[in-house]
């Protein structure tokens, strides 16, 4: 079952500059800060930054799920393909990227720390 939007990720060339800029924009420090990923909690949702060239692959929206393996299997059964295999990105959080039949990237995320009650 897809539970709703959880995370949007942006690729950035300069992680330090982007971290400083987004900290200023949202007036909050990141809750997760590693060279491979910086995560901000914004109003109960996540804004993620990862190293890369803007527009490659571009912004990926991640839809929250309770069972990432089952949902990835279900959606690939409907014609999607695995673009980036399920991976644990730390703290029990798992992500997978699928390509829909039209070439779009569809992200799924299992985040045991996400508290829907915090969403405003």
């Amino acid at each position: 079952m897809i539970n709703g939007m959880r995370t949007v990720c942006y690729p950035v060339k300069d992680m330090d500059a982007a971290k400083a800029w987004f900290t200023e924009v949202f007036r909050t420090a990141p809750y997760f800060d590693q060279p491979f990923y910086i995560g901000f909690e914004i109003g109960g949702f996540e804004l993620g930054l990862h190293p890369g060239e803007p527009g490659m692959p571009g912004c990926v929206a991640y839809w929250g799920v309770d069972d990432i393996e089952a949902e990835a299997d279900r959606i690939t059964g409907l014609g999607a393909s695995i673009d980036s295999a399920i991976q644990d990105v730390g703290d029990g959080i798992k992500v997978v990227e699928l390509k829909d039949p039209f070439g779009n990237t569809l992200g799924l995320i299992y985040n045991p720390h996400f508290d829907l009650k915090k969403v405003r």
Side-chain angles (χ1 to χ4, degrees):
M1 173 189 240
I2 294 179
N3 298 320
M5 182 68 69
R6 297 289 186 267
T7 304
V8 174
C9 290
Y10 297 115
V12 296
K13 285 183 182 181
D14 184 333
M15 293 287 280
D16 290 331
K19 175 175 64 174
W21 191 81
F22 281 100
T23 295
E24 182 78 19
V25 167
F26 289 103
R27 298 181 178 158
T28 189
Y31 78 90
F32 189 87
D33 187 352
Q34 295 293 321
F36 59 88
Y37 186 81
I38 298 171
F40 294 85
E41 185 273 318
I42 309 294
F45 297 93
E46 182 160 338
L47 166 64
L49 306 175
H50 63 87
E53 294 291 323
M56 293 178 45
C59 180
V60 176
Y62 290 85
W63 297 91
V65 297
D66 293 325
D67 185 335
I68 198 164
E69 290 84 2
E71 282 302 301
D73 287 345
R74 183 180 73 82
I75 295 170
T76 56
L78 295 171
S81 60
I82 300 291
D83 192 45
S84 178
I86 295 171
Q87 56 185 319
D88 187 318
V89 295
D91 292 335
I93 301 167
K94 294 180 181 180
V95 297
V96 64
E97 292 178 3
L98 308 167
K99 284 289 185 188
D100 71 17
F102 317 101
N104 300 301
T105 301
L106 173 67
L108 301 179
I109 185 168
Y110 167 72
N111 184 343
H113 311 289
F114 184 83
D115 184 359
L116 192 57
K117 295 174 192 150
K118 287 177 59 178
V119 178
R120 296 180 205 151

